Coordinates of all heavy atoms in Angstrom, one line a residue:
G38 N -17.1 28.5 28.6 CA -17.7 29.9 28.3 C -19.2 29.7 28.3 O -19.8 30.2 27.3
L106 N -24.0 32.0 11.6 CA -23.9 30.9 12.6 C -23.2 31.3 13.8 O -21.9 31.4 13.8 CB -23.1 29.8 11.8 CG -24.0 28.8 11.0 CD1 -24.8 29.4 10.1 CD2 -23.2 27.5 10.5
G107 N -23.9 31.9 14.7 CA -23.3 32.4 16.0 C -22.5 33.7 15.7 O -22.5 34.3 14.7
G108 N -22.0 34.3 16.8 CA -21.2 35.4 16.8 C -19.9 35.2 15.9 O -19.5 36.1 15.1
T109 N -19.5 33.9 16.0 CA -18.2 33.6 15.1 C -18.5 33.8 13.6 O -17.7 34.4 12.9 CB -17.8 32.2 15.4 OG1 -17.7 32.0 16.8 CG2 -16.4 31.9 14.8
G110 N -19.8 33.3 13.3 CA -20.0 33.4 11.8 C -20.2 34.8 11.4 O -19.9 35.3 10.3
L112 N -18.6 37.4 12.7 CA -17.2 38.0 12.6 C -16.6 37.4 11.3 O -15.9 38.3 10.6 CB -16.4 37.4 13.8 CG -16.6 38.1 15.1 CD1 -16.0 37.3 16.3 CD2 -16.2 39.5 15.3
W140 N -10.4 37.4 23.1 CA -10.8 36.0 22.7 C -10.0 35.5 21.6 O -9.8 36.2 20.6 CB -12.3 36.3 22.3 CG -13.1 34.9 22.1 CD1 -13.1 33.9 22.8 CD2 -13.8 34.7 20.8 NE1 -14.0 32.9 22.2 CE2 -14.4 33.3 21.0 CE3 -14.0 35.3 19.6 CZ2 -15.1 32.6 19.9 CZ3 -14.8 34.8 18.6 CH2 -15.3 33.4 18.8
H143 N -10.5 35.7 17.7 CA -10.5 37.0 16.8 C -9.3 36.9 15.9 O -9.5 37.2 14.6 CB -10.2 38.2 17.7 CG -11.6 38.7 18.4 ND1 -11.6 39.3 19.6 CD2 -12.9 38.5 18.0 CE1 -12.9 39.5 19.9 NE2 -13.6 39.1 19.0
H189 N -14.7 45.0 22.0 CA -15.7 44.2 22.6 C -16.8 45.1 23.1 O -16.5 46.1 23.9 CB -15.1 43.5 23.8 CG -14.0 42.5 23.5 ND1 -14.0 41.2 24.0 CD2 -13.0 42.5 22.7 CE1 -13.0 40.6 23.5 NE2 -12.3 41.3 22.8
N194 N -14.0 39.8 27.0 CA -13.4 38.5 27.1 C -12.0 38.5 26.7 O -11.6 38.7 25.7 CB -14.3 37.5 26.3 CG -13.8 36.1 26.4 OD1 -12.9 35.8 27.2 ND2 -14.4 35.1 25.6
D222 N -17.8 43.5 18.6 CA -18.1 42.1 18.8 C -19.0 42.2 20.1 O -18.6 42.5 21.3 CB -16.9 41.3 19.1 CG -17.3 39.8 19.4 OD1 -18.4 39.5 19.4 OD2 -16.3 39.0 19.6
A224 N -21.1 39.9 22.2 CA -21.4 38.4 22.5 C -22.1 38.3 23.9 O -22.5 37.2 24.3 CB -20.1 37.6 22.5
Y225 N -22.2 39.4 24.6 CA -22.8 39.3 25.9 C -23.7 40.3 26.3 O -24.0 40.7 27.5 CB -21.5 39.3 27.0 CG -20.6 38.2 26.8 CD1 -19.5 38.4 26.0 CD2 -20.8 37.1 27.4 CE1 -18.6 37.2 25.7 CE2 -20.0 35.9 27.2 CZ -18.9 36.0 26.4 OH -18.0 35.1 26.1
Q254 N -23.2 40.1 16.5 CA -24.0 39.7 17.7 C -24.1 38.2 17.8 O -24.3 37.6 16.8 CB -25.4 40.2 17.6 CG -25.5 41.8 17.5 CD -27.0 42.2 17.2 OE1 -27.2 42.4 16.0 NE2 -27.9 42.2 18.2
S255 N -24.0 37.8 19.1 CA -24.2 36.4 19.4 C -25.3 36.3 20.3 O -25.4 37.0 21.2 CB -22.8 35.9 20.0 OG -23.3 34.6 20.6
F256 N -26.2 35.2 20.1 CA -27.3 34.9 20.9 C -27.0 33.7 21.7 O -27.9 33.1 22.3 CB -28.6 34.9 20.1 CG -29.0 36.3 19.7 CD1 -28.7 36.7 18.4 CD2 -29.6 37.1 20.5 CE1 -29.0 38.0 17.9 CE2 -30.0 38.5 20.1 CZ -29.6 38.8 18.8
S257 N -25.7 33.2 21.7 CA -25.4 32.0 22.3 C -25.6 32.1 23.8 O -26.1 31.2 24.4 CB -23.9 31.6 22.0 OG -23.8 31.5 20.6
K258 N -25.1 33.2 24.4 CA -25.0 33.4 25.9 C -26.3 33.9 26.4 O -26.9 33.4 27.3 CB -23.9 34.2 26.2 CG -22.6 34.1 25.4 CD -21.7 33.1 25.8 CE -20.6 32.9 24.8 NZ -19.5 32.0 25.2
Y263 N -26.5 28.1 22.7 CA -25.1 27.8 22.3 C -25.0 27.0 21.0 O -24.3 27.3 20.1 CB -24.3 27.1 23.4 CG -24.3 28.0 24.6 CD1 -25.3 27.7 25.6 CD2 -23.4 29.0 24.9 CE1 -25.4 28.4 26.8 CE2 -23.4 29.7 26.1 CZ -24.4 29.4 27.1 OH -24.4 30.1 28.1
R266 N -26.4 27.9 17.1 CA -25.6 28.7 16.3 C -26.5 29.9 15.8 O -26.9 30.0 14.6 CB -25.1 28.1 15.2 CG -24.3 26.8 15.5 CD -23.3 27.0 16.7 NE -22.3 27.9 16.3 CZ -21.8 28.8 17.2 NH1 -22.3 29.0 18.4 NH2 -20.8 29.6 16.9
V267 N -26.8 30.9 16.6 CA -27.6 32.1 16.3 C -26.8 33.3 16.5 O -26.4 33.7 17.6 CB -28.9 32.2 17.2 CG1 -29.9 33.0 16.4 CG2 -29.4 30.9 17.7
G268 N -26.5 34.0 15.3 CA -25.8 35.3 15.3 C -26.2 36.2 14.3 O -27.2 35.8 13.5
F360 N -16.8 36.5 32.7 CA -15.4 36.2 33.0 C -14.7 37.1 34.1 O -15.1 38.3 34.1 CB -14.5 36.1 31.8 CG -15.1 35.1 30.8 CD1 -15.6 35.5 29.6 CD2 -15.1 33.8 31.1 CE1 -16.1 34.6 28.6 CE2 -15.6 32.9 30.2 CZ -16.1 33.3 29.0
R386 N -8.0 33.3 33.5 CA -9.5 33.6 33.4 C -10.3 32.6 34.0 O -10.1 31.3 33.9 CB -9.8 33.7 31.9 CG -11.2 34.2 31.6 CD -11.5 33.9 30.2 NE -12.1 32.6 30.0 CZ -12.7 32.1 28.9 NH1 -12.8 33.0 27.8 NH2 -13.2 30.9 28.7
Ligands
PLP1 C1 -15.9 37.7 22.6 C2 -16.6 36.6 22.0 N1 -16.9 36.9 20.7 C3 -17.7 35.9 20.1 C4 -17.9 34.6 20.6 C5 -18.7 33.7 19.8 O1 -19.9 33.3 20.1 P1 -20.7 32.2 19.3 O2 -20.6 30.9 20.1 O3 -22.0 32.7 19.2 O4 -19.9 32.0 17.9 C6 -17.6 34.4 21.9 C7 -17.9 33.1 22.5 O5 -17.3 32.7 23.5 C8 -16.9 35.4 22.6 O6 -16.6 35.3 23.9

Side-chain angles (χ1 to χ4, degrees):
L106 268 62
T109 309
L112 288 164
W140 183 52
H143 281 152
H189 297 231
N194 178 3
D222 181 1
Y225 298 94
Q254 294 170 267
S255 165
F256 293 95
S257 302
K258 325 273 169 168
Y263 307 91
R266 311 309 298 137
V267 207
F360 301 114
R386 183 192 88 170

